[in-house]
Amino acid sequence: MGKRSDRRAPANMIALDAARARKAHGQEVWDAVDGWRDQRYVRNIKPRTANQARLMEAIRSHDLVFALGPAGTGKTYLAVALAVEALEAGDVSRIVLSRPAIEAGEALGYLPGSAEEKLSPYLRPLYDALTDRMGSKRMRAALDDGTIEIAPIAFMRGRTLNNAFVVIDEAQNCLYSQLKMLLTRLGARSTMVVTGDPDQSDLMEGMSGLAEVADRVAGLDGLAVTHLDGTDVVRHPLVARMLPAL
């Protein structure tokens, strides 16, 4: 046992020295879960377009925000990033994530596991954004202790979401009745961001309630309806050029 430990010691010391060097140069910070972790997980995000800046300002100054726009405009990422910002600042005590369990044109059939495990494949974009902002270990720890909650839409009726940052993603796949139910879950000291693209619904034509709900509540005090467009796409440049053609 002593020899094996001795063989590991130099490698461990090298790793520790490397971590100290990165810390000295400001590239890493200490985290209770991750240990030394890359500083990119805690840096402040910056908008890339004027519409993204307006969206971030709306989220910070309103309790309810609709973020409407085409794919690739950063709606979901900005919503999740500001949710993490609010959590780390102590403005809320938890993050609640919800999204319709609707496949994009194909049925996956029965999915095994708990409600959270069944919904997990649909929440992958949200998990990716959380990982970028928190790191995988912190995200898993937050999911385990309930600081981040996965809330299936089917089980949201009757709940009041107090002191929470709520993100409803892909809301174009919600019926009008579902969105009405979700919006009325908003509780005290909470923020809710509803993201979606009214032009890209996986429901049958005319069934999506996102555009109608946004139109009806636009102009009410305390909430904001923000619009992004093709000029805000931050994915491959071809995405922005394809959207008008498709």
Side-chain angles (χ1 to χ4, degrees):
M1 292 297 293
K3 291 182 179 179
R4 183 177 298 176
S5 178
D6 291 342
R7 285 197 300 268
R8 279 202 302 261
N12 292 340
M13 290 303 297
I14 292 172
L16 181 59
D17 289 342
R20 287 170 175 165
R22 290 193 295 272
K23 176 180 178 292
H25 288 84
Q27 296 173 358
E28 291 197 346
V29 294
W30 174 258
D31 181 87
V33 176
D34 285 343
W36 293 113
R37 64 184 173 93
D38 197 303
Q39 205 167 15
R40 68 176 178 271
Y41 295 136
V42 294
R43 70 185 180 193
N44 293 326
I45 61 169
K46 295 181 179 179
R48 296 189 182 182
T49 69
N51 285 336
Q52 287 187 350
R54 282 191 282 270
L55 172 58
M56 292 178 66
E57 176 58 29
I59 293 174
R60 287 173 172 147
S61 58
H62 295 80
D63 293 332
L64 174 60
V65 176
F66 287 81
L68 310 181
T73 52
K75 307 180 299 294
T76 298
Y77 188 89
L78 291 176
V80 171
L82 292 180
V84 174
E85 178 185 280
L87 180 67
E88 293 183 339
D91 296 333
V92 297
S93 62
R94 57 182 171 147
I95 296 172
V96 179
L97 305 176
S98 191
R99 175 176 173 154
I102 303 292
E103 295 95 344
E106 60 178 344
L108 296 177
Y110 172 78
L111 295 176
S114 64
E116 291 78 6
E117 291 169 334
K118 292 177 187 293
L119 197 60
S120 181
Y122 304 99
L123 293 171
R124 190 70 258 173
L126 298 175
Y127 288 152
D128 290 343
L130 284 169
T131 300
D132 282 349
R133 300 303 302 158
M134 303 177 72
S136 59
K137 290 183 180 179
R138 287 186 69 213
M139 182 191 73
R140 288 195 297 269
L143 286 168
D144 289 342
D145 65 18
T147 303
I148 297 177
E149 177 188 352
I150 307 303
I153 289 176
F155 303 148
M156 290 281 275
R157 187 173 297 280
R159 297 191 60 184
T160 300
L161 302 175
N162 293 319
N163 200 26
F165 197 112
V166 186
V167 178
I168 310 296
D169 193 34
E170 297 290 346
Q172 75 274 7
N173 289 330
C174 287
L175 304 173
Y176 180 92
S177 59
Q178 289 178 314
L179 280 171
K180 181 179 179 181
M181 180 270 293
L182 290 169
L183 296 178
T184 54
R185 302 307 97 200
L186 188 64
R189 303 176 304 282
S190 290
T191 297
M192 179 180 289
V193 180
V194 181
T195 72
D197 178 5
D199 295 327
Q200 193 174 338
S201 176
D202 296 305
L203 299 174
M204 294 180 64
E205 186 174 354
M207 292 185 64
S208 173
L210 179 59
E212 182 181 357
V213 169
D215 288 342
R216 288 194 177 197
V217 301
L220 295 180
D221 290 338
L223 63 82
V225 178
T226 60
H227 296 269
L228 297 96
D229 54 39
T231 63
D232 302 302
V233 173
V234 292
R235 291 179 183 165
H236 195 286
L238 275 175
V239 175
R241 294 200 290 269
M242 285 189 295
L243 283 172
L246 297 174

